[in-house]
Amino acid sequence: MSAILTVMRAGPLSSIQDEGRFGMLLHGISASGPMDRAAFALAGQLSGGGSGGIEFTTAGLDIRLASGTCQVGFAGGDFVVRHNGMVQDWPGTVLLETGDTLAVTPGSWGNYGYLRFDADIVAKPMMGSIATSSRAGLGGIEGRALRVGDVIELSGGGGTGTVPVLPEQAEGAIRVIWGLHADSFPQELRQRFLDGTFTISPRLDRMGVRLDDVDGVFADAKVLSLVSDAIVPGDIQILGDGSPIVLMRDHQPTGGYPRIATVVTVDLDRFAQLRPGTSVAFTPITLDHAHQLLRSRQR
Amino acid sequence: MAGSSASETFPMPTLIPLGDSSFLVRFGTTLTDDANRAAIAFASALARAPVPGVLEVMPNLVSVLLRYDPCAATPDTILGEVRLRLSGLASDKRKPHGWTIPVVFDGPDLEETAAALGMTGGAFIAAHNASPLRVLATGFAPGFVYCGLHPQVLVLPRRMAVRPAVPAGSVLFAAGQTAIAATEMPTGWHVIGHTDFNNFEPTKQRPTRLTAGDTIQFEAVR
């Protein structure tokens, strides 16, 4: 099976992703991979499971199949997808034939959506992965976001199967585990962090999501200079000016700002999909509870 | 500098969950030679005897990150294995790889850095290169290395202002350390020179050459 598609329109944060480039932290490279891993997996199931996929944002995406045929699956957030102008169910799947167009525009919620195909995306693997790292400038097409005129080749049988990840159905507060430097924040400040309201700021990308600290919880926090230490996705760090920022898939591998908490794995997809302006609250759970949630999701 | 005698003892670490899929084994909260050597030795011990369920090990300046699969191993099992390796922890027995790295000391902050330490440029360069440094940690950015620790007379805080971009190969100096940027990046460190030594080749399966624990002799070239 093979096909060639052309990017007719792409937002500045669209990129080629796969599950991620794991194992490269000591070389200074975080794993990247989909911002919403469950949605990426679902698009793969719908399409037939070719490797790799296109991640797009509320800026939308238009593609045209220049040659061949392919089954395309789409999922993630809420988007409107048109196949040759006809609106399709979202999430869903459709067969693209030569000359067909697929146009995606934002729907009512979510920041990220995915297109995946029944054949593999052809890109040069870097350290075993084609995931685009916006931080390291690796993977995908020349390590950069997609843009108009990009040509993406699809080849191979696909169908290698993707591990289904059940999307987390939870709503409400984002669950966290207290972070590496939680003890260096006064108890009173930790409580205000839980009581406070934050909103997702417009300053978000694949590296991190900056929060607006509506109640000024961290406005007067004394931020100590710390020895640089390992960062994981979901870490909530407090910058020198008191801004909280949640580090995401293209996070820096190490950093020296204090981290009060870490978003649990099962809630990170949901957090990534929160649009600017959305209120968000955080609630702590135990490590054991976080693991129970992970195990129940895999069943 | 502390030797690696048989009686070497390491600081007792704390084991801290970092999210729900990593533990940090932290040997100190400030950068000391002992804590750094312990982190490197422990990472080396984990490489020799991997812990089942642990997917990735990254030594940092004073800690080691263990990324694990919570559906494949319980925290109790992992921490038990970690404590076993800590109890027998000996200094890193690997013979460190020694590198000589040529540096052109022409950075925009060289004279200011030397003056702040009460030295001429030439005296600073001589003092900087007087003895080999250790690679303390990698991982901050692709191919980036922290080297140290310099003696107290060479300790200088970071600059007040951050430079938005310095080129790959920049040799940086601050906080008792010398660092090499392998990619373009912003930095608040003093830029004292540059090197042609390339520590990041993304097309290779192992994209960097320097490893924590290696020794580096810097050499002034024109």
Side-chain angles (χ1 to χ4, degrees):
Chain A
M1 224 175 300
S2 72
I4 291 173
L5 60 87
T6 308
V7 176
M8 310 296 286
R9 191 175 70 86
L13 295 179
S14 318
S15 64
I16 290 174
Q17 294 296 333
D18 61 15
E19 276 75 6
R21 183 177 290 102
F22 290 96
M24 293 292 149
L25 288 173
L26 62 82
H27 301 292
I29 299 159
S30 51
S32 300
M35 294 290 278
D36 183 340
R37 299 178 71 179
F40 181 83
L42 176 58
Q45 282 179 278
L46 290 166
S47 70
S51 64
I54 298 175
E55 179 177 273
F56 51 85
T57 68
T58 50
L61 179 79
D62 291 359
I63 60 167
R64 180 177 172 274
L65 201 68
S67 73
T69 61
C70 71
Q71 192 75 29
V72 55
F74 27 85
D78 180 50
F79 287 84
V80 177
V81 61
R82 288 181 174 82
H83 174 219
N84 295 334
M86 297 283 287
V87 174
Q88 308 291 312
D89 285 342
W90 181 277
T93 181
V94 71
L95 181 71
L96 294 183
E97 294 181 338
T98 303
D100 284 4
T101 60
L102 200 71
V104 185
T105 50
S108 60
W109 65 273
N111 292 316
Y112 298 98
Y114 299 89
L115 296 186
R116 295 189 64 185
F117 309 93
D118 57 352
D120 304 335
I121 289 185
V122 178
K124 185 177 163 52
M126 304 285 255
M127 293 156 253
S129 165
I130 64 168
T132 307
S133 167
S134 60
R135 172 172 294 280
L138 290 176
I141 298 180
E142 298 163 357
R144 59 168 172 77
L146 293 178
R147 61 190 183 211
V148 174
D150 278 342
V151 172
I152 297 171
E153 187 185 342
L154 305 172
S155 180
T160 48
T162 53
V163 182
V165 179
L166 296 177
E168 187 61 25
Q169 299 298 337
E171 290 182 0
I174 295 291
R175 292 164 291 190
V176 298
I177 291 173
W178 287 114
L180 178 57
H181 308 109
D183 290 347
S184 65
F185 291 92
Q187 177 59 36
E188 171 267 341
L189 187 59
R190 286 167 64 168
Q191 189 57 47
R192 282 171 57 208
F193 166 68
L194 302 178
D195 296 340
T197 300
F198 300 89
T199 56
I200 306 291
S201 86
R203 297 171 72 181
L204 59 84
D205 60 19
R206 291 186 42 85
M207 299 188 211
V209 176
R210 200 178 276 246
L211 303 177
D212 286 328
D213 180 1
V214 179
D215 298 330
V217 171
F218 295 106
D220 302 318
K222 290 188 181 58
V223 174
L224 303 168
S225 173
L226 298 163
V227 60
S228 184
D229 222 326
I231 284 173
V232 297
D235 270 352
I236 306 174
Q237 72 174 10
I238 312 301
L239 299 183
D241 65 359
S243 306
I245 179 163
V246 184
L247 296 160
M248 302 301 284
R249 300 285 173 201
D250 288 359
H251 64 91
Q252 59 191 75
T254 68
Y257 289 111
R259 283 165 263 154
I260 191 167
T262 304
V263 176
V264 300
T265 300
V266 297
D267 277 0
L268 196 56
D269 289 348
R270 178 161 72 94
F271 177 80
Q273 294 286 17
L274 298 178
R275 283 189 182 170
T278 309
S279 291
V280 57
F282 298 99
T283 188
I285 62 171
T286 63
L287 182 60
D288 189 47
H289 186 183
H291 288 165
Q292 286 172 25
L293 291 170
L294 266 172
R295 283 192 290 269
S296 66
R297 189 170 74 161
Q298 292 217 337
R299 272 201 290 274
Chain B
M1 202 171 277
S4 45
S5 67
S7 64
E8 184 166 15
T9 54
F10 292 116
M12 276 303 293
T14 46
L15 309 178
I16 309 164
L18 200 53
D20 56 29
S21 305
S22 295
F23 280 107
L24 202 64
V25 181
R26 192 168 63 170
F27 294 89
T29 53
T30 57
L31 176 55
T32 62
D33 199 63
D34 282 351
N36 177 254
R37 284 178 186 276
I40 292 170
F42 181 55
S44 173
L46 290 173
R48 282 195 305 272
V51 173
V54 169
L55 305 171
E56 183 166 14
V57 171
M58 172 172 70
N60 305 292
L61 285 169
V62 296
S63 72
V64 178
L65 176 84
L66 284 79
R67 187 171 63 80
Y68 65 98
D69 177 357
C71 296
T74 67
D76 285 352
T77 319
I78 291 170
L79 294 179
E81 294 283 332
V82 161
R83 289 197 181 93
L84 272 178
R85 283 155 186 75
L86 284 169
S87 67
L89 188 58
S91 59
D92 192 356
K93 291 292 192 298
R94 287 175 308 169
K95 185 170 160 42
H97 197 300
W99 303 83
T100 298
I101 293 188
V103 175
V104 183
F105 283 90
D106 62 350
D109 300 328
L110 180 74
E111 290 302 327
E112 196 181 299
T113 299
L117 294 169
M119 299 177 186
T120 64
F124 168 74
I125 293 166
H128 180 275
N129 297 350
S131 46
L133 297 178
R134 207 150 42 87
V135 176
L136 302 174
T138 61
F140 171 68
F144 185 96
V145 289
Y146 294 101
C147 310
L149 286 164
H150 288 294
Q152 195 59 39
V153 292
L154 290 180
V155 174
L156 194 66
R158 282 179 283 188
R159 284 159 47 86
M160 296 301 284
V162 171
R163 282 199 168 81
V166 297
S170 294
V171 177
L172 312 173
F173 181 83
Q177 297 160 67
T178 295
I180 308 172
T183 54
E184 183 181 286
M185 63 168 61
T187 185
W189 288 38
H190 308 271
V191 182
I192 58 171
H194 74 272
T195 180
D196 291 337
F197 183 88
N198 178 10
N199 194 41
F200 184 53
E201 292 178 67
T203 55
K204 296 196 169 167
Q205 185 59 33
R206 186 190 157 78
T208 66
R209 299 156 77 188
L210 301 174
T211 302
D214 288 355
T215 58
I216 292 182
Q217 176 67 59
F218 288 104
E219 186 180 71
V221 295
R222 286 178 190 283

